[in-house]
Amino acid sequence: MSGTALIVGASGIVGSACAALMAAEGWPVYGLARTPPSYPGLHPVRADLHDPASLAAALADLRPSHVVLATWTRARTEAEMIRINGQAVRDVLAALRPGGSVRHVALVTGLKHYLGPFESYGTGRLPQTPFREDQGRLDIENFYYAQEDAVFEAAARDGFSWSVHRPHSIVGKAVGNAMNMGTTLAVYATLCRETGRPFRFPGSAAQWNGLVDVTDARLLAHHILWACTSRAAANEAFNVVNGDVFRWSWMWGRIAAWFGLEPAPFDGTVAPLEPQLAGDGPAWAALAAAHGLAEPDLGRLASAWHTDADLGRPIEVVTDMGKSRRLGFLRYQASDAAFFDLFARLRADRLIP
């Protein structure tokens, strides 16, 4: 089964991976963003998610069968994030309603479903790991829940099926993305190599020693495509990770070796990246000029605040993929290869030297 896809958030890590895969599979793909990307197979749709009139005009003549919601907007408080992100989902689906074409909506959220929102991330009474989909919601407001509710309400009203996809930290390429661990680590490693600073793990002992998993954006795209085309996946929520687990005490040395670095010893002290990189804008701009890099703005590559949140957690976080396996999704991605593939792509695209 195939159709016509509308990717909301086409310029992001997830949206761009989905657009590339679905276009390669022969789907007509429309990519909505405030500044949509331009590449073969993608029909750009320019709109502001927080301007209903802009959305209605941009989507008036589109008749997608499948919609991928892979975007969110950061705000100062969780209450504001609930309001603006829930409304954005409602406005997109309302704009598409008159056409009556939508058969399935895939919503991408994440493990904050289990860990809580940014304001109380990884604190309080949390579900037991590995996280499983039947553990349900925390007793706390969360913009992911608001987005889900907006999809569920529209599905009940308009008769389409849905799927919810909950990745862990996503490894993939995007510029200007708010959550981008892989590129952040690549930038950090590059700066350490170029300046002679020690390449030191910035997170907690719990993350250094504990088990963890991540999600390759390409695997997530395949999972979304599977859910869009599999009856077994209709009206289900899924965790989505690569299928392996690792410890950062192992992965850190492998990342260091890729960049030709010796990793600094870890003494258990948290040393967040955000303050470490705070003054590195000029150094990155100079490095970009010297090597002819495509992006001289460090802030458009590194999302240190989010990488700090993931690597600084005081708890072990692993994710169960059993539900997807039982229903027929069997893809696997080695996580070290996910990082290495990303670094090679960043180098090929002149984003790192």
Side-chain angles (χ1 to χ4, degrees):
M1 181 176 68
S2 63
T4 299
L6 171 65
I7 312 295
V8 181
S11 60
I13 291 177
V14 178
S16 59
C18 279
L21 174 64
M22 296 176 97
E25 292 290 322
W27 291 51
V29 179
Y30 293 84
L32 186 151
R34 185 174 296 173
T35 306
S38 177
Y39 50 80
L42 181 73
H43 305 284
V45 179
R46 186 180 302 273
D48 183 347
L49 277 178
H50 305 298
D51 180 349
S54 166
L55 274 175
L59 299 178
D61 297 327
L62 290 188
R63 298 293 183 267
S65 57
H66 295 73
V67 179
V68 179
L69 299 168
T71 188
W72 63 283
T73 299
R74 190 182 180 193
R76 294 183 63 182
T77 67
E78 190 65 22
E80 181 66 4
M81 289 175 67
I82 288 168
R83 185 186 69 79
I84 62 176
N85 288 293
Q87 189 62 49
V89 172
R90 286 191 291 273
D91 288 344
V92 167
L93 298 179
L96 293 170
R97 187 184 188 193
S101 62
V102 177
R103 302 201 305 262
H104 186 88
V105 172
L107 171 67
V108 180
T109 61
L111 294 197
K112 285 187 289 297
H113 182 93
Y114 309 105
L115 288 163
F118 293 120
E119 291 179 0
S120 56
Y121 185 65
T123 62
R125 188 183 180 109
L126 300 174
Q128 187 179 49
T129 57
F131 294 141
R132 293 180 170 86
E133 296 92 344
D134 61 6
Q135 290 169 318
R137 294 180 174 183
L138 301 177
D139 187 21
I140 187 170
E141 294 297 316
N142 189 321
F143 83 87
Y144 283 169
Y145 305 162
Q147 289 182 308
E148 285 184 344
D149 287 343
V151 170
F152 299 159
E153 290 162 10
R157 180 191 67 207
D158 298 336
F160 56 76
S161 62
W162 54 265
S163 55
V164 176
H165 306 260
R166 299 172 186 155
H168 200 169
S169 302
I170 299 172
V171 179
K173 183 202 164 192
V175 176
N177 192 271
M179 299 189 294
N180 198 334
M181 176 191 283
T183 302
T184 300
L185 295 180
V187 166
Y188 175 52
T190 299
L191 285 166
C192 288
R193 186 185 63 207
E194 297 293 322
T195 65
R197 284 153 48 182
F199 185 59
R200 184 188 184 283
F201 181 70
S204 67
Q207 291 301 301
W208 180 255
N209 295 312
L211 293 173
V212 70
D213 45 30
V214 295
T215 306
D216 190 305
R218 298 167 300 181
L219 181 135
L220 177 54
H222 277 284
H223 194 274
I224 290 168
L225 178 59
W226 166 75
C228 285
T229 56
S230 170
R231 290 185 179 180
N235 304 328
E236 297 284 353
F238 298 99
N239 298 327
V240 190
V241 288
N242 286 344
D244 63 357
V245 294
F246 62 88
R247 302 180 199 276
W248 279 108
S249 57
W250 174 80
M251 185 68 80
W252 199 250
R254 293 183 66 73
I255 291 174
W258 197 94
F259 286 93
L261 295 166
E262 283 291 330
F266 178 63
D267 64 4
T269 304
V270 177
L273 287 176
E274 191 167 25
Q276 286 195 57
L277 300 181
D280 281 332
W284 185 263
L287 191 153
H291 292 275
L293 301 184
E295 181 52 70
D297 184 349
L298 179 62
R300 286 182 50 76
L301 294 174
S303 55
W305 69 276
H306 186 263
T307 300
D308 285 341
D310 278 358
L311 299 185
R313 289 181 300 216
I315 55 172
E316 180 179 272
V317 177
V318 288
T319 315
D320 180 67
M321 273 282 284
K323 185 177 185 181
S324 292
R325 306 302 187 214
R326 290 192 301 273
L327 294 179
F329 183 80
L330 303 178
R331 282 184 175 268
Y332 163 87
Q333 170 66 53
S335 291
D336 54 347
F339 280 110
F340 301 158
D341 290 350
L342 170 63
F343 300 155
R345 185 177 176 192
L346 294 176
R347 183 167 285 171
D349 291 346
R350 296 187 302 107
L351 289 169
I352 61 172

